[in-house]
Amino acid sequence: MQARLKPGARFPDVALFDLDGTLLDSAPDMLATVNAMRAERGRGPMALDALRPHVSKGARAMLAAAFADVAVETRESWVPEFLAVYQRELGRHGAPFDGVEAMLGALEAAGSRWGIVTNKPEYLARLLLPLLGWESRCAVLIGGDTLTARKPDPLPLTVAAERLGVAPSACVYVGDDERDIVAARAAGM
């Protein structure tokens, strides 16, 4: 079922978005993080083009790309370090994609609400919103650790709709990864 538009409106009642790779080009922040970790281990920098395809897949995927020769168990132990370094680099290098601010403004002008459902840890997403000027504009934020399940499970999307007091069918969800499509379809968005 598709979200229904308000009479005369061009947008649905609620638009929910993935964050990294959808609203925000966070790849430069992630690259700074990976390269700080590589430098700490005596390795040269990684190129942005080599990391970009892995950004939407999370810390583990980026660590696998940056340290392909390192055992999975070792890379897994580096996830907390990745998150700590990323927190220091947060919002320093990345920016919203071209057109995102205009699109969010158009949604708001049409009376639609928008929110974010991301697999990024919620505390990091909450730290990022003020840097973008979105803290008072974003109607709902669900992070990857907010609930007991994360995308591709539909739970984060259905909870976001519930928190906004609308049926999932009144929402659209926009993301850049297959798990976003799977979650949206399963949620009925």
Side-chain angles (χ1 to χ4, degrees):
M1 174 181 276
Q2 293 182 350
R4 283 180 274 169
L5 298 179
K6 298 175 185 177
R10 302 175 312 185
F11 299 111
D13 291 341
V14 173
L16 299 172
F17 298 94
D18 176 48
L19 184 57
D20 297 309
T22 302
L23 293 177
L24 183 65
D25 183 5
S26 54
D29 287 349
M30 302 295 186
L31 181 66
T33 300
V34 162
N35 283 339
M37 292 180 70
R38 287 178 61 85
E40 184 69 25
R41 290 160 177 84
R43 296 179 182 220
M46 184 176 190
L48 182 59
D49 289 346
L51 185 65
R52 189 176 290 284
H54 307 282
V55 169
S56 292
K57 300 189 184 321
R60 288 167 182 82
M62 287 182 277
L63 286 169
F67 299 98
D69 61 322
V70 175
V72 172
E73 299 80 20
T74 301
R75 289 193 317 254
E76 183 68 25
S77 72
W78 293 349
V79 170
E81 177 187 354
F82 179 96
L83 295 174
V85 174
Y86 174 62
Q87 185 173 347
R88 290 192 303 268
E89 298 297 335
L90 191 69
R92 294 181 59 206
H93 313 277
F97 284 108
D98 288 343
V100 165
E101 283 297 335
M103 183 241 347
L104 295 177
L107 280 168
E108 294 162 350
S112 298
R113 293 179 291 165
W114 62 272
I116 296 170
V117 180
T118 177
N119 278 354
K120 178 192 292 295
E122 183 178 337
Y123 78 96
L124 290 171
R126 288 212 180 276
L127 290 173
L128 190 55
L129 290 183
L131 301 175
L132 299 166
W134 294 350
E135 69 277 16
S136 64
R137 297 170 63 194
C138 180
V140 66
L141 172 64
I142 305 285
D145 57 354
T146 304
L147 306 168
T148 58
R150 54 193 282 164
K151 300 176 300 178
D153 192 289
L155 181 66
L157 298 179
T158 58
V159 168
E162 180 182 296
R163 288 184 181 177
L164 292 173
V166 298
S169 61
C171 304
V172 296
Y173 185 70
V174 181
D176 66 311
D177 192 77
E178 182 180 3
R179 70 176 149 223
D180 298 319
I181 296 166
V182 169
R185 286 183 178 161
M189 295 185 182

